[in-house]
Amino acid sequence: MRKKIVAGNWKMNLDLDEGAELVNEIFKGLPVLSENCQVVIAPPFIHLKETGEQLTGMIDVHLGAQNCHHESSGAYTGEVSAGMLKSAGVEYVIIGHSERREYMKEDDAMLAKKVNQALTNGLKVIFCCGEPLEIRDNNTQNTYVESEIKAGLFHLSEKQLNNIVLAYEPIWAIGTGRTATSEQAQDMHAHIRSVIANQYGEDAAYAISILYGGSCKPSNADELFACPDVDGGLIGGAALKAKDFLGIIEAMANS
Ligand code: 13P
């Protein structure tokens, strides 16, 4: 059975005290989860050590980072390598988020290198894809997302794919309060699974977790997670409030 995952991407929010408090509250409210359910918390780099220490003993909650550099080391002022993340106890890294593609000009070739760095250093990857509004309006979202997945992942072996989680995040739904309908989410997730099946076969496609991201909150999580190809969520704004994040985790547990 493939994993269900709710991952919180804090983006550039919360200072150290606020972050520690949030993790503490999540810890207090965390429901008992079945074996195939996982929670990931991806705070800014500076939180990682402390958050990791807080997560010790919380077997269902895993530590994630929001980015890594595409080279292993060197003169890249201000950057953090996948090896450094691993040494800090990180298990997952988000790669290809639309905010990094847009604001940091991360292109397909760089993202493929980041994926390689992450896997080489024993990290699991949450690889993001998703179309901007004009692509959705032209109804060309399927080919757009397919090309992001091909460019970022298709150089990997089937074995390497075991360490990849996909996240479909329609850009027009991120932080906008506008969510994809469950039908739009299901259609795209099924398409993504077929893209994986064409390259890697049905078994690999069945096994890979595909998360939905974009204004996911407790009030819509039940409906989204009920879709057969939606295996959880990558959560931004609602991951910053314990009550909301816990509500989404509950929705995963009940789905
Ligand atoms: P929001 O949940 O704030 O829309 O953000 C989604 C996201 O980008 C998670 O990576």
Side-chain angles (χ1 to χ4, degrees):
M1 205 195 301
R2 61 179 172 259
K3 275 199 177 63
K4 295 184 206 171
I5 299 172
V6 165
N9 173 10
W10 292 4
K11 308 191 178 183
M12 197 176 73
N13 292 296
L14 307 181
D15 67 21
L16 286 178
D17 288 344
E18 291 164 339
E21 175 61 21
L22 176 56
V23 175
N24 210 13
E25 285 178 42
I26 292 166
F27 177 62
K28 282 194 257 168
L30 197 69
V32 177
L33 294 173
S34 62
E35 218 177 283
N36 69 323
C37 287
Q38 270 191 8
V39 176
V40 177
I41 293 180
F45 289 138
I46 196 162
H47 290 260
L48 286 170
K49 272 299 268 181
E50 188 174 347
T51 304
E53 278 156 25
Q54 285 184 284
L55 296 186
T56 312
M58 293 167 70
I59 50 165
D60 299 325
V61 189
H62 302 254
L63 188 63
Q66 299 174 18
N67 179 38
C68 68
H69 196 257
H70 59 279
E71 300 291 348
S72 56
S73 65
Y76 300 103
T77 302
E79 295 292 331
V80 173
S81 73
M84 293 172 194
L85 295 177
K86 182 72 183 175
S87 75
V90 170
E91 189 177 335
Y92 283 91
V93 59
I94 299 170
I95 292 179
H97 195 282
S98 59
E99 286 149 18
R100 295 205 60 89
R101 290 179 192 258
E102 183 181 352
Y103 306 138
M104 306 299 163
K105 307 286 174 245
E106 295 188 355
D107 62 14
D108 287 335
M110 184 189 283
L111 295 175
K113 284 190 183 177
K114 286 184 186 232
V115 168
N116 292 345
Q117 280 297 325
L119 296 181
T120 302
N121 285 283
L123 299 172
K124 295 177 189 138
V125 172
I126 299 175
F127 187 82
C128 302
C129 56
E131 79 287 354
L133 187 57
E134 60 273 22
I135 296 290
R136 171 64 60 170
D137 286 343
N138 289 337
N139 202 25
T140 51
Q141 64 273 8
N142 283 10
T143 41
Y144 186 95
V145 166
E146 184 169 350
S147 79
E148 287 184 327
I149 293 171
K150 276 185 180 164
L153 300 178
F154 273 17
H155 62 287
L156 301 178
S157 67
E158 189 182 338
K159 187 159 174 261
Q160 286 176 306
L161 201 71
N162 289 333
N163 289 314
I164 305 290
V165 171
L166 284 163
Y168 168 57
E169 298 206 311
I171 297 170
W172 45 272
I174 295 178
T176 59
R178 183 178 164 190
T179 318
T181 63
S182 51
E183 195 185 351
Q184 286 172 322
Q186 170 56 28
D187 284 353
M188 179 57 85
H189 282 230
H191 172 63
I192 291 171
R193 210 176 291 288
S194 75
V195 167
I196 298 294
N198 285 339
Q199 179 73 5
Y200 292 100
E202 293 292 339
D203 288 353
Y206 181 79
I208 199 164
S209 300
I210 309 175
L211 316 184
Y212 169 79
S215 300
C216 185
K217 37 191 184 274
S219 58
N220 58 28
D222 283 325
E223 194 184 336
L224 286 161
F225 297 172
C227 300
D229 286 295
V230 176
D231 306 311
L234 179 55
I235 318 299
L240 300 173
K241 293 198 188 97
K243 190 163 172 282
D244 288 351
F245 194 55
L246 287 165
I248 296 170
I249 293 169
E250 288 278 358
M252 165 178 67
N254 297 332
S255 69

